[in-house]
Amino acid sequence: MSPLQKTAKAQHAETQGYVLAPGDGERLVFRGSDIVIKVDPRRGSKNVAMGTQRVPVGDGIPRHRHAHMDEFFCVLEGSGMFILNDVKHPIEKGATIFI
């Protein structure tokens, strides 16, 4: 097996993929929010984070950064304001934010 084939095989082994049921994932509670981490570096993706989070009315997700991965949000219910690069964006059900 060539070095290129070995590299491709190793990369494929790291990214086999998986299927999670609706309640599966790492569960966290933060500031009254129920968070379920579905995808992160420990679960097969070095560059993407994804999970679910129920944000209580009047609360929000604190401003934060991920230095080495992308993150996206899909608004399933409700509405609010999202700040990206110091610009406020009104969001509502169906919105997608990619960072």
Side-chain angles (χ1 to χ4, degrees), residues 20-68:
L20 295 176
D24 289 351
E26 179 185 358
R27 300 189 78 79
L28 307 169
V29 176
F30 179 72
R31 296 176 53 197
S33 276
D34 183 34
I35 303 168
V36 181
I37 306 299
K38 302 286 191 171
V39 177
D40 72 2
R42 294 173 294 158
R43 291 175 186 79
S45 175
K46 295 179 182 173
N47 301 314
V48 175
M50 196 276 290
T52 62
Q53 183 170 359
R54 185 174 299 266
V55 180
V57 173
D59 206 349
I61 299 171
R63 188 178 272 193
H64 66 283
R65 296 178 191 259
H66 295 279
H68 302 289

Side-chain angles (χ1 to χ4, degrees), residues 5 8 12 17 69 71:
Q5 289 171 316
H12 179 70
M69 71 180 79
E71 183 175 19

Side-chain angles (χ1 to χ4, degrees), residues 48-51 70-74 96-99:
V48 175
M50 196 276 290
D70 295 331
E71 183 175 19
F72 66 93
F73 297 84
C74 294
T96 300
I97 302 110
F98 174 76
I99 305 169

